[in-house]
Structure formats: structure tokens, C-alpha cells
Amino acid sequence: MELGNKTNAEEFFLLGLSDKPEQQPLLFAIFLCMYLIILTGNLLIILAIGSDSHLHTPMYFFLSNLSFVDLCLATNTIPKMLANIQSKSKSISYVCCLTQMYFFHFFGIVDSILITVMAYDRFVAICHPLHYTTIMSPRVCGLMVGLPWAFSVVISLAHTLLVSRLNFCASTELPHFFCDLTPLLRLSCSDTTVNKVLVLIVGGLVIVTPFLCLLASYARIVVAILKVPSAGGRKKAFSTCSSHLSVVALLYGTTIGVYLSPSSICTTVKDKASAVMYTVVTPMLNPFIYSLRNRDLKGALKKLIHRKVVSSP
């Protein structure tokens, strides 16, 4: 398919997070460090879960998938931004821009649904412990991971094909650090009504609905925790839930603000700040939140690091 024939824009220019040259070295250093943390943290979780047979359970199966998706989501945006800063080039070809947009939505949708799946897994484990192995069977777990991937392929492709039909007649400068759907729609001189309708439909399906399901799961979990007789057990459980909910609020709050807010209250600065939260900050925090308070995962990480150190010459 020759996307270039659909528009007179052969490339876009990503203006990045700041247009001030003196801020570029600091931004490069900050985001390089954050990306290295994302890379290291998520890879360690994937390797630790894969290498320890005791962690081959539904909860850790979902966590390893989430770590992989977070890693891919960050890799889709941060390296290009770092390369643009280092080379002082802001251009990205039309096809590469649409490709980046496709994978951003692909991994973003999977990420959103996986977090909800993980909340449901904890709900079953805490509220229905006797039926956990029956409800969360390997087949069910496979479907709960596989269906979001398949659904995401279709939705992301629909967004990309609709954007490929748009014309960009004037400026091709994107006030963003990657090719996102919202700034592309603002830049188009075509009728974007169909695109905006799809955004609202998809937002309801992959943002609002999972968010409400997630809140319902945690509400039931909180009720179950309150029935725990041990004060120490309640405190530990609430501590874990509060850290998980902080990531949920950060992820869904920013995505709802960008994709479901009226265009009249959306600003470039707000879009950039929100994008940094769900493409960089959340993937960086997830390894800490899901591992630092997990004794089994910390033990697996120590064993993995110990084996690597012992086996190294």
C-alpha cells in the first residue's frame, strides 16, 4: 500500500519536549537514564520469572507479559527521541510516523487491558481462593493474554488506515516527541470526524471500561482485606494495593485526559506531560511496584543475579 500517495506530506518534524537548545543535553541525559532503568528493570523481571519454576503461575505470567509490553512501549518512542536530540534532527518519514503511531497504540491498548487482567487475577485469588486454580486455568490465562493482543492489532490498524487517508496541507510540524494520534489529527486539513468517533469508541472500550472493571475488582479486594483478622496482614495488603492503584491512577488519568477530554481543553503542554507519564514514567515504575514488595520475585531476582555472577569468568 503506497501511503505516500494519500497525502502531500513526505515527512513530519517532531518538535520534541522543548525548543530551547540549552535544555537538550539535560533532556537527553534524563530520558536516557529513564530508558535504561525501563530496559533493565523489565528485562530482569522477565528473566527472573522465566528462570524460576516457582513463578510459573498466572500472576507472574501476566506480570511478565506486562513487563514485555512496557519495554516495547518505551522502545517505540524513547530511542527515536534520543536520536533526534543527539543528531539535532527533528524529521521522521511519513511511513515511519504512521508505523510509530501504530505500535504506540498497539502496545498501549495491550498494556491497559493487561493491568485490568492482573487486577481480576488478584480479585479471584483473594476473594475466591478455593476456586482460583479452576477459574484461572492455563487455557483461561492464555485467552486473557491472547485476546487483548488480537484486539489491539485490529484497533491499531483501523486507526492507522484512517489516518493514512488524511491530507496534511500546511505545516508538518508535530508539537510532540513522537507520532501520536491526537496531534496528527490536529495537523490535518481533512475532515477528521470519523477518526474522532473511533477515538471515542476505542477510548470507551480500552480505557473507560477496563478502568471501571479495575476499580470494581479493587473495591471487592478492599472489602475482603477488611475482613482479615490480622492488623499486620491488613496493613501489608493495603500497602500493596495502594501502590498498584497509584500506577492505575497515573496511567488511566493521563490517557483519559488526552484521548477523551474535549479538544477545547487540550493543550500541547498537557499532551506532552501526559504522554511522558504513560510512555516513560509508568513503564519505569511498574518493575519497582510489582517487585520490590514481592518476596518471591525478589528471591528469584537474587538467584538470577547470583547465577550470572558465579557463571561469569
Side-chain angles (χ1 to χ4, degrees):
M1 179 175 59
E2 296 183 3
L3 297 178
N5 293 334
K6 301 289 185 180
T7 179
N8 51 4
E10 295 182 357
E11 63 181 1
F12 294 99
F13 295 90
L14 300 171
L15 300 185
L17 293 173
S18 173
D19 57 357
K20 298 179 180 179
E22 64 273 13
Q23 294 180 352
Q24 300 307 309
L26 178 61
L27 288 173
F28 181 85
I30 291 174
F31 281 89
L32 176 61
C33 291
M34 295 174 79
Y35 181 62
L36 290 176
I37 293 172
I38 293 170
L39 191 67
T40 304
N42 286 289
L43 277 178
L44 282 175
I45 286 181
I46 294 170
L47 291 173
I49 293 174
S51 63
D52 194 329
S53 59
H54 295 95
L55 300 183
H56 294 174
T57 62
M59 181 178 75
Y60 294 108
F61 172 66
F62 296 138
L63 179 56
S64 62
N65 275 272
L66 180 68
S67 294
F68 176 73
V69 171
D70 281 341
L71 180 59
C72 293
L73 183 62
T75 301
N76 183 54
T77 56
I78 301 178
K80 177 59 179 175
M81 180 185 68
L82 295 177
N84 284 358
I85 293 175
Q86 192 68 16
S87 65
K88 296 182 173 57
S89 170
K90 298 180 179 181
S91 66
I92 181 172
S93 71
Y94 178 76
V95 173
C96 288
C97 184
L98 291 193
T99 302
Q100 188 181 56
M101 188 196 76
Y102 171 85
F103 282 108
F104 168 72
H105 285 277
F106 175 77
F107 291 117
I109 291 171
V110 176
D111 190 80
S112 174
I113 299 176
L114 272 180
I115 290 178
T116 308
V117 167
M118 292 176 69
Y120 176 75
D121 172 73
R122 291 300 84 204
F123 158 73
V124 175
I126 294 173
C127 299
H128 304 283
L130 298 179
H131 302 285
Y132 179 77
T133 54
T134 303
I135 297 174
M136 303 302 293
S137 64
R139 180 176 178 274
V140 171
C141 292
L143 287 174
M144 293 177 76
V145 169
L147 289 178
W149 284 82
F151 176 74
S152 184
V153 168
V154 176
I155 297 300
S156 303
L157 185 60
H159 275 311
T160 306
L161 291 176
L162 284 176
V163 171
S164 71
R165 298 172 63 250
L166 301 178
N167 290 315
F168 299 91
C169 307
S171 173
T172 55
E173 292 184 345
L174 280 175
H176 217 306
F177 62 96
F178 69 95
C179 287
D180 195 5
L181 178 62
T182 303
L184 280 171
L185 293 183
R186 291 179 189 155
L187 206 62
S188 174
C189 58
S190 301
D191 183 6
T192 59
T193 303
V194 177
N195 301 76
K196 291 176 181 178
V197 169
L198 182 62
V199 168
L200 291 176
I201 294 173
V202 172
L205 289 174
V206 305
I207 300 177
V208 176
T209 301
F211 181 62
L212 294 177
C213 292
L214 196 149
L215 290 181
S217 296
Y218 274 112
R220 294 288 301 275
I221 289 172
V222 169
V223 171
I225 291 173
L226 290 173
K227 297 179 181 179
V228 175
S230 168
R234 288 197 302 270
K235 182 179 179 181
K236 180 180 179 181
F238 274 124
S239 176
T240 302
C241 285
S242 63
S243 61
H244 292 183
L245 284 173
S246 64
V247 171
V248 168
L250 188 65
L251 175 65
Y252 285 98
T254 52
T255 51
I256 289 173
V258 170
Y259 294 104
L260 298 182
S261 294
S263 57
S264 58
I265 65 173
C266 292
T267 65
T268 299
V269 175
K270 175 187 171 183
D271 286 353
K272 290 180 182 179
S274 298
V276 169
M277 289 299 175
Y278 56 73
T279 61
V280 183
V281 176
T282 301
M284 183 180 68
L285 291 179
N286 278 346
F288 297 101
I289 290 173
Y290 288 108
S291 64
L292 290 181
R293 301 191 182 193
N294 188 307
R295 184 180 302 175
D296 294 334
L297 191 52
K298 285 194 291 185
L301 286 170
K302 289 178 182 178
K303 291 178 183 178
L304 176 66
I305 295 172
H306 177 71
R307 284 200 299 268
K308 295 297 181 182
V309 171
V310 171
S311 62
S312 62

